[in-house]
Amino acid sequence: MVPLSWYLVLAAALFSLGLYGALSRRNAIAVLMGVELILNAVNINLVAFNRFIVPAAVNGQIFALFVLAVAAAEAAVGLALIIAIYRTRNTVNLEDADLMKG
Amino acid sequence: MTLPTLDLVVLLPQLIVLTAALLVLVVDGLSGARSWLLAGISLVALLAAGAAAIWLSLQPGEPRRLQAMAVADGFALLFDVVIVVAAVLGVLLAYQSIPRISQQVGSYYALLLLAVVGMMTMGAALDLIVVFLALEILSLALYILAGFNRSEPRSAEASLKYFLLGAFASAFFLYGAALVYGATASLNLEAIAAALAGGSRSPAMLYLGIALLIVGFGFKVALVPFHMWTPDVYPGAPTPVTAFMSAATKAAAFAAFLRLFLTALPTAQPTWSWALAVLAAVTMTLGNVAALRQRELKRMLAYSSIAHAGYAAVGLVAGTAQGAGAVLFYLLAYAFMNVGAFGVVAALERAGEYDVARGRLAGLSERQPALAAAMAIFMFSLTGIPPFAGFFGKLYVFGAAVAAGWGWLVVIGVINSVISAYYYLQVTVEMYFAAPAAEAPAAAAAGKKGRAVAKAAAPSPAPEEGKAAPAPLSRATAAAVLAAALGTVLIGVLPALLTGWIAQAVQGIF
């Protein structure tokens, strides 16, 4: 059987990929995709921990289901916001979102 | 097989607010719905939820639980009261200004109430799944509220920034939760504490998980270096939204932060309290120093709210029951004084304006003496001058930190209070001692003020500078400011009314 550490390495790699995408991309949708990759890394972790550490319980898998559902809701809200900003600015490039300087 | 019994009374405040949110949507759908009816339903539901929370907290015996998922203990219920205070003031402030910027008044109140449901659940959650769900419920509603002013590009930009950084922070929180799950084999806060009592099997994973949880919460309460969104989102969002979210989100996030770290992770306290102490010190300093330079009120209050997150974090660093109670008291005081300050800003705002320049305050004491007096109270309270609520908030937080041996952190906190006095008191000076005509460029003799006015006037679409008075103070806004001022003074004069109650309530999380 594939050992737990392999799953954790896969999840960590996916997390790093998502983090890189979210930090380096200038397109709001691409940033959102990076965040979704991190969420999938979380799901792999949760399911793997559930399977290897507490096989009798299901709470890790249920958490993963909740993460999926919330990620869908988050994407719906996020894409709506991105469309709203596209309508006024004709761009979803984050470098153009500079009306306010942090 | 028997179905589990669900003691839904535990969630009574949340259920009341949720019902009201759905009712507001239905009533809004009916033709001819009036704005006052929607606001009225929201207000009644919020007050009923607050009453339900107080009633539940007065029940004798063990706190009631919803399985192992949520609990209605004094800690959760007092945080409910803090959130209700912020939400009631937020609804009152919205009554005048939201119809001016949007047709969808019903959605506004419904989203605000849904955010309140999430916030209340944050404090009651006993399981990482529930913490996550509550965090997302409140966040998703607030992302939309921040962008509610559809005609203002800055509002859309604020909501997009808030969304992207918030989603990012949620992902970090989740990764941390997954690692803590892996290290302790449990998602329940009490079971995590029990698993850690005998020492962790995989400390590396545990500490990495805790670090990621701190990042996730740090974003929500705006601790430096996770604060970047605050100075953009607070001014960009409509002022009533900023007022509500600055106080209520902080309270909700700190409620879950406190319960998670004090109930589930007390064995790791020596580690995380150091990390948080450094964050708190940096947060207080950077927030206050950055606020010094701001010439616009909402932006200044945004940086000041970062600094206040740092003060509240000092109580969490202490990690004692005294510290947790101090944070609770601080956040209640903060709800009154900060929503009140934003309420004054909302009253001064002109239609289509992005932020209120500080020069606008000049001579306010002559034009609107009551408003100026209220603003002075909020500024004194935010500085921490007795006998206002903010003074006792800071006193209790710093006292708890000293008692727990964090003297150096308190020294930094007190120095920061002195720094913050400069910009808070300058607001008061401008209201009472600056020439009222300061808005006309010719009268702005002081070069500093002249630049501020010029900078603020440039993006402002108002054609008649100096002539365009702000919309007359509506009764709802006046009521919100008055209630906030009364609360600030009352808590400051009689803190003993609450301290005994709070001290008893926080025992439940240990």
Side-chain angles (χ1 to χ4, degrees):
Chain A
M1 196 166 73
V2 184
L4 174 63
S5 57
W6 289 29
Y7 289 99
L8 300 188
V9 169
L10 172 65
L14 206 51
F15 177 82
S16 309
L17 261 179
L19 191 62
Y20 176 74
L23 293 178
S24 67
R25 289 310 182 120
R26 287 289 154 255
N27 185 310
I29 296 176
V31 173
L32 187 56
M33 288 165 72
V35 172
E36 298 289 321
L37 278 186
I38 300 182
L39 294 183
N40 284 325
V42 170
N43 284 342
I44 293 176
N45 263 347
L46 284 170
V47 174
F49 281 136
N50 196 162
R51 176 74 181 76
F52 282 88
I53 295 180
V54 272
V58 290
N59 50 5
Q61 298 189 25
I62 289 178
F63 200 166
L65 285 176
F66 273 111
V67 173
L68 286 178
V70 169
E74 209 170 58
V77 171
L79 291 174
L81 294 177
I82 290 171
I83 289 172
I85 210 163
Y86 182 77
R87 283 209 180 119
T88 55
R89 311 280 293 279
N90 260 329
T91 172
V92 291
N93 191 324
L94 293 176
E95 274 168 355
D96 297 335
D98 56 357
L99 290 176
M100 301 170 289
K101 284 276 190 237
Chain B
M1 179 189 152
T2 54
L3 288 170
T5 50
L6 296 177
D7 190 3
L8 287 173
V9 179
V10 170
L11 296 179
L12 187 61
Q14 284 93 329
L15 291 174
I16 293 173
V17 178
L18 179 62
T19 314
L22 302 177
L23 188 64
V24 164
L25 279 180
V26 171
V27 172
D28 187 41
L30 304 174
S31 59
R34 302 250 173 79
S35 176
W36 64 262
L37 181 62
L38 302 170
I41 295 172
S42 314
L43 277 182
V44 169
L46 286 168
L47 293 174
I54 291 172
W55 173 75
L56 272 171
S57 73
L58 295 176
Q59 300 289 307
E62 280 288 294
R64 305 171 78 148
R65 280 160 185 260
L66 185 75
Q67 298 289 340
M69 289 291 165
V71 63
D73 59 2
F75 178 80
L77 297 166
L78 277 180
F79 265 108
D80 287 356
V81 173
V82 177
I83 290 156
V84 164
V85 165
V88 165
L89 297 176
V91 169
L92 286 173
L93 289 180
Y95 184 69
Q96 185 192 18
S97 48
I98 292 305
R100 281 202 309 227
I101 60 170
S102 172
Q103 307 288 312
Q104 293 144 318
V105 183
S107 329
Y108 179 86
Y109 291 121
L111 283 167
L112 188 140
L113 294 175
L114 288 174
V116 168
V117 172
M119 289 167 177
M120 288 175 156
T121 314
M122 287 283 273
L126 275 185
D127 194 287
L128 285 173
I129 299 180
V130 184
V131 175
F132 167 66
L133 278 179
L135 186 70
E136 287 300 315
I137 291 172
L138 83 89
S139 300
L140 288 178
L142 285 177
Y143 299 148
I144 306 172
L145 286 178
F148 214 75
N149 191 352
R150 301 260 304 268
S151 58
E152 169 61 64
R154 285 188 186 85
S155 184
E157 192 179 309
S159 92
L160 184 66
K161 279 187 182 168
Y162 192 28
F163 167 74
L164 288 175
L165 286 171
F168 199 53
S170 298
F172 272 86
F173 171 85
L174 276 176
Y175 208 88
L179 291 181
V180 169
Y181 176 57
T184 62
S186 176
L187 288 168
N188 184 279
L189 302 190
E190 282 150 350
I192 290 173
L196 291 177
S200 171
R201 283 172 303 147
S202 39
M205 199 147 77
L206 176 72
Y207 288 125
L208 190 57
I210 293 175
L212 290 171
L213 289 176
I214 291 179
V215 174
F217 279 119
F219 264 105
K220 285 294 155 195
V221 299
L223 290 178
V224 176
F226 318 114
H227 69 290
M228 307 84 85
W229 56 273
T230 317
D232 283 350
V233 172
Y234 279 22
T239 310
V241 177
T242 314
F244 166 67
M245 75 186 233
S246 67
T249 314
K250 232 179 215 70
F254 264 111
F257 208 163
L258 283 168
R259 196 192 283 277
L260 177 57
F261 277 65
L262 297 179
T263 302
L265 306 167
T267 44
Q269 192 178 345
T271 314
W272 59 251
S273 60
W274 265 101
L276 273 175
V278 173
L279 288 184
V282 177
T283 304
M284 290 186 287
T285 311
L286 200 140
N288 279 320
V289 170
L292 285 178
R293 293 183 291 120
Q294 305 307 322
R295 295 280 152 223
E296 282 105 33
L297 279 177
K298 276 168 88 178
R299 228 177 152 75
M300 184 197 94
L301 286 171
Y303 277 109
S304 115
S305 94
I306 295 174
H308 283 277
Y311 297 132
V314 171
L316 176 56
V317 169
T320 54
Q322 195 191 355
V327 176
L328 215 175
F329 186 93
Y330 195 92
L331 290 166
L332 180 62
Y334 186 72
F336 278 113
M337 60 196 184
N338 205 49
V339 180
F342 274 114
V344 175
V345 175
L348 294 173
E349 223 170 17
R350 293 170 186 154
E353 188 177 51
Y354 152 64
D355 204 338
V356 177
R358 253 195 1 219
R360 180 85 54 81
L361 290 167
L364 187 70
S365 61
E366 282 164 31
R367 276 176 287 140
Q368 287 168 306
L371 204 59
M375 190 61 164
I377 291 176
F378 301 138
M379 289 298 128
F380 285 139
S381 182
L382 285 166
T383 318
I385 293 173
F388 300 112
F391 168 72
F392 287 99
K394 274 190 184 146
L395 182 69
Y396 294 143
V397 165
F398 291 160
V402 168
W406 292 94
W408 64 270
L409 190 58
V410 172
V411 170
I412 294 179
V414 172
I415 293 173
N416 267 294
S417 297
V418 177
I419 299 175
S420 74
Y422 177 76
Y423 60 86
Y424 288 134
L425 296 187
Q426 209 178 34
V427 168
T428 320
V429 169
E430 268 163 17
M431 285 190 305
Y432 281 90
F433 301 113
E439 285 227 16
K448 221 167 59 176
K449 202 172 289 157
R451 255 187 296 136
V453 171
K455 202 172 129 203
S460 166
E464 302 158 300
E465 260 314 294
K467 239 168 97 187
L473 194 57
S474 83
R475 265 185 289 179
T477 311
V481 172
L482 181 68
L486 281 179
T488 310
V489 173
L490 193 67
I491 296 176
V493 176
L494 295 168
L497 280 181
L498 292 163
T499 45
W501 200 15
I502 289 174
Q504 203 187 354
V506 294
Q507 292 303 331
I509 63 168
F510 286 93

